[in-house]
Amino acid sequence: MTTKNLKTNNLNRRDFIKAATIISGSSLLSACANFGLNKASQAPLGRVVIIGGGYAGTTAAKYIRMWSNGNIETVVIEKSSQFVSCPLSNLVLGGSKSINDLTFGYDLVKKNHGIKWVNDEVTAIDLSTKKITMKRGEITYDRLIIAPGIDFMYDKLPSLESTEAQQQVPHAWKAGWQTVNLRKQLEAMPDGGVFVMNVPKAPYRCPPGPYERACQVASYIKVSRPKSKVIVLDANAEIISKKGLFTKVFNEMYAGIIDYRPSNAVTDVEVASKTVITDFDKISADVLNIIPPQRAGKPAQMAGLNNIDKRWCEVDFLTYESKLAPNVHVIGDSVSAALPKSAHMATSQARVCASAIVELMQGKMPDSAPVFANTCYSYVNEKQAIHVANVYRYDEAKKIMVAADGGGVSSSPTDIEGDYAKAWAANIWSDVLT
Amino acid sequence: MKNDSFCFKDSCFKNWLLTLFFILVLTSVSFAITAKATEVLSSINTLSNTPHIRTLAASCAACHGTNGNAAAGNAVLAGMNANYFTTQMLAFKDGSRPATVMHHHAKGLNVDEINLLANYFSQQKRVANVAPTSQQLKANHDN
């Protein structure tokens, strides 16, 4: 590299940091042009752009930087200025955690790994020219990773489409103000009031999450609103994760509080009266929490990659490259797979993808048989947790990831697993965010 | 007859080329064999640094931290003695060490993977785990 190039690079980096700290983004467009993100990368192996700074996208960025020894320029585009963890956010409803315990900045991971960060929203993706357009600038890429999480399918529940409706009837399925809102509604519920929630038909983000939520709401009710109830309307024929454990907890720990109704999909919602309609029931709630059906996040839709049922994205499990678009990878909840849409899973997929990209950009072959671990902890009250854990292996005949023998669930909820679940959170946050 | 011995004939030239080709192949094969031997000597080291093992090892990070440098509350795997590591993993695998969750991970791995992971983690530098600091929620992004 010539001195001139080095100098430009340094200048670019400084400009970038300056730009990143500008809160009003008015100068970001020109800043992008200045640090050359709309021109070809000067990094030895090129540039990877990652859309989405959640568990998947941030992990991919960090590990690409680590495993390429900094030889791949890595740019994350994230519309939120903060990271808010979905895992543990049900504890905010139970009252043992505050949303502020689950909210973090991106500064450490950016700084420690030299990740370029653009706080902006993607408005268009042009696969033929490899160009991303944002509200305030443009970026070109050599490879693109789309890690957008989920999008709600309001066409199935049109009455919930507006922001106002979602204030009345929160989903709280993306952690943040929605979670705070639902907690406030629960706190304001009179004793004897009814909390109604649903479980969408699988697949959706975090399979055990709705059942954990029912437990968290019930644990609050048990102590603070003893005459109240939780009605759980499950679109599935049965509890779809940790079934034996949740059934026991519902029937024993929360006997008379949780009223679980399987095969009871929500078909409509009357927002003003907080009334929910299913094929069998019409129930008026004091607090109504509707988790809509889900599909791949908006950027994946913009790129036209959600080819499975118009919902999820089909990928090659060796690289997470989209089956529809070369050099474009999809990781995390948006992927179509018989894999749980969990935070740990998102990070495991992110690392397989990162590792493959580092190899591919050096002209080498990626690992031909990836293996990784996944665990989901759920809290049944403020202290006790249960897990489901599996190792997943690439099946060369089926070309998908398959659960290896030997995985399983806890035998019962325990305090010690409650502590280990906290340790899990501390470790995954540290791994993703530093 | 005489002409033949001068080797100007087409077929003879071909033979000569063929011999040269064989010499080249043999040399490169013997090179490869030597390389192979060196490779085998350090195989456990190189194998544990393959994309396969580094990705598998990194999937332990959710509970044991980046490169095994865990936050308080879980075992630090970075720099762990490889024999100790292997013994514990095999004990989780056969159930002789009671566990809350590790049996569900160890049983899904084979002995080769456990050995390579043992080597991988034993080579990781111990560094203090850094926790990100939590902050007041300000962002509005959850619709």
Side-chain angles (χ1 to χ4, degrees):
Chain A
M1 192 180 278
T2 66
T3 333
K4 190 173 158 252
N5 270 346
L6 266 176
K7 231 164 139 189
T8 334
N9 261 354
N10 287 340
L11 205 68
N12 288 346
R13 197 160 300 133
R14 236 186 300 132
D15 279 0
F16 183 86
I17 290 160
K18 233 197 310 184
T21 53
I22 293 171
I23 291 168
S24 111
S26 58
S27 62
L28 205 55
L29 177 68
S30 58
C32 272
N34 278 348
F35 50 74
L37 291 178
N38 56 355
K39 301 214 182 67
S41 176
Q42 294 184 359
L45 298 176
R47 177 188 298 143
V48 174
V49 171
I50 300 170
I51 301 176
Y55 278 97
T58 311
T59 300
K62 166 174 166 170
Y63 279 85
I64 286 175
R65 293 292 295 167
M66 270 171 47
W67 287 337
S68 73
N69 294 315
N71 285 316
I72 296 175
E73 183 187 6
T74 307
V75 184
V76 174
I77 308 171
E78 167 55 51
K79 65 179 175 176
S80 169
S81 57
Q82 291 179 309
F83 177 100
V84 190
S85 174
C86 273
L88 264 56
S89 67
N90 279 330
L91 298 189
V92 176
L93 304 176
S96 60
K97 283 271 177 217
S98 148
I99 198 75
N100 300 326
D101 298 330
L102 316 181
T103 304
F104 302 94
Y106 289 109
D107 4 340
L108 285 176
V109 70
K110 283 194 276 194
K111 195 180 71 187
N112 292 350
H113 302 284
I115 300 165
K116 296 184 176 175
W117 206 275
V118 183
N119 183 194
D120 203 345
E121 192 173 335
V122 171
T123 55
I125 300 171
D126 187 336
L127 299 177
S128 59
T129 57
K130 296 186 163 185
K131 193 170 81 180
I132 314 284
T133 309
M134 299 161 292
K135 283 189 173 155
R136 300 184 297 265
E138 303 181 337
I139 288 185
T140 58
Y141 61 82
D142 296 305
R143 277 184 186 268
L144 175 63
I145 301 178
I146 305 187
I150 50 157
D151 178 40
F152 296 119
M153 297 169 71
Y154 287 115
D155 52 328
K156 305 274 188 245
L157 293 168
S159 65
L160 291 177
E161 180 108 48
S162 72
T163 318
E164 301 78 67
Q166 291 157 32
Q167 293 304 313
Q168 294 280 308
V169 180
H171 53 75
W173 214 240
K174 294 183 184 181
W177 294 112
Q178 277 276 314
T179 319
V180 175
N181 173 342
L182 188 56
R183 168 69 187 173
K184 284 194 177 138
Q185 292 200 25
L186 178 60
E187 282 175 315
M189 185 173 78
D191 196 7
V194 181
F195 185 106
V196 181
M197 63 170 290
N198 73 314
V199 186
K201 197 155 185 62
Y204 57 84
R205 163 180 281 180
C206 190
Y211 309 106
E212 179 192 56
R213 172 167 295 181
C215 293
Q216 286 301 313
V217 172
S219 81
Y220 173 78
I221 283 177
K222 193 171 176 175
V223 176
S224 309
R225 299 288 183 278
K227 295 198 201 98
S228 288
K229 269 172 99 170
V230 186
I231 298 175
V232 183
L233 302 169
D234 195 337
N236 302 287
E238 55 177 19
I239 293 175
I240 62 155
S241 177
K242 307 172 191 169
K243 184 185 170 202
L245 288 159
F246 278 122
T247 304
K248 196 152 183 277
V249 169
F250 286 5
N251 293 338
E252 292 173 11
M253 200 178 287
Y254 301 120
I257 300 176
I258 293 180
D259 173 355
Y260 174 74
R261 304 181 187 178
S263 300
N264 217 330
V266 174
T267 53
D268 202 2
V269 176
E270 289 170 19
V271 175
S273 60
K274 292 195 179 162
T275 301
V276 57
I277 296 148
T278 72
D279 284 338
F280 309 102
D281 289 314
K282 183 168 180 180
I283 308 165
S284 287
D286 292 276
V287 179
L288 183 54
N289 168 213
I290 299 295
I291 304 166
Q294 297 148 33
R295 62 185 162 201
K298 290 210 171 68
Q301 296 170 39
M302 272 177 210
L305 302 184
N306 51 325
N307 60 326
I308 303 295
D309 304 331
K310 294 198 182 132
R311 290 175 76 186
W312 311 109
C313 307
E314 189 181 7
V315 298
D316 175 339
F317 290 99
L318 298 180
T319 57
Y320 290 83
E321 192 166 37
S322 163
K323 293 276 193 174
L324 303 186
N327 301 313
V328 181
H329 305 249
V330 183
I331 52 176
D333 293 347
S334 287
V335 168
S336 173
L339 296 170
K341 299 185 186 301
S342 76
H344 190 176
M345 180 59 69
T347 62
S348 286
Q349 292 181 352
R351 296 192 207 87
V352 173
C353 175
S355 179
I357 283 180
V358 169
E359 297 306 296
L360 289 168
M361 289 178 87
Q362 295 177 87
K364 296 190 200 158
M365 289 295 286
D367 178 11
S368 60
V371 179
F372 55 65
N374 177 66
T375 304
C376 300
Y377 283 110
S378 309
Y379 278 93
V380 299
N381 53 31
E382 74 289 354
K383 261 202 166 122
Q384 298 181 307
I386 51 181
H387 76 257
V388 55
N390 277 101
V391 167
Y392 291 88
R393 306 184 154 272
Y394 185 72
D395 182 312
E396 283 175 37
K398 296 185 191 140
K399 301 199 182 322
I400 54 170
M401 297 301 293
V402 174
D405 288 343
V409 299
S410 313
S411 40
S412 65
T414 57
D415 287 18
I416 184 167
E417 285 222 86
D419 291 339
Y420 279 136
K422 289 218 171 73
W424 172 90
N427 278 294
I428 201 168
W429 291 337
S430 164
D431 184 44
V432 175
L433 296 166
T434 73
Chain B
M1 275 300 252
K2 217 179 180 186
N3 274 350
D4 279 359
S5 64
F6 278 109
C7 266
F8 283 125
K9 259 191 153 178
D10 226 24
S11 65
C12 190
F13 184 63
K14 267 188 194 149
N15 279 343
W16 183 79
L17 264 184
L18 214 63
T19 318
L20 188 67
F21 176 73
F22 270 112
I23 288 169
L24 277 174
V25 166
L26 276 175
T27 324
S28 57
V29 163
S30 74
F31 260 118
I33 287 168
T34 328
K36 188 84 195 160
T38 339
E39 206 178 87
V40 167
L41 278 180
S42 64
S43 77
I44 197 94
N45 290 329
T46 44
L47 278 176
S48 71
N49 255 321
T50 56
H52 183 70
I53 290 301
R54 77 178 174 208
T55 333
L56 171 55
S59 81
C60 314
C63 294
H64 293 286
T66 305
N67 295 331
N69 284 293
N74 248 342
V76 172
L77 304 180
M80 184 177 270
N81 175 283
N83 284 332
Y84 176 80
F85 179 101
T86 306
T87 314
Q88 300 315 307
M89 291 297 280
L90 294 177
F92 289 135
K93 197 170 158 70
D94 69 17
S96 57
R97 176 170 168 183
T100 59
V101 72
M102 274 311 295
H103 53 309
H104 290 146
H105 291 296
K107 284 180 182 166
L109 301 173
N110 59 42
V111 176
D112 284 347
E113 284 162 341
I114 289 174
N115 285 326
L116 292 169
L117 284 169
N119 188 260
Y120 180 91
F121 281 115
S122 72
Q123 289 176 4
Q124 300 307 309
K125 248 201 359 243
R126 273 199 184 211
V127 295
N129 179 281
V130 180
T133 28
S134 53
Q135 40 183 253
Q136 198 91 31
L137 174 66
K138 292 192 294 268
N140 193 0
H141 71 113
D142 54 2
N143 318 297

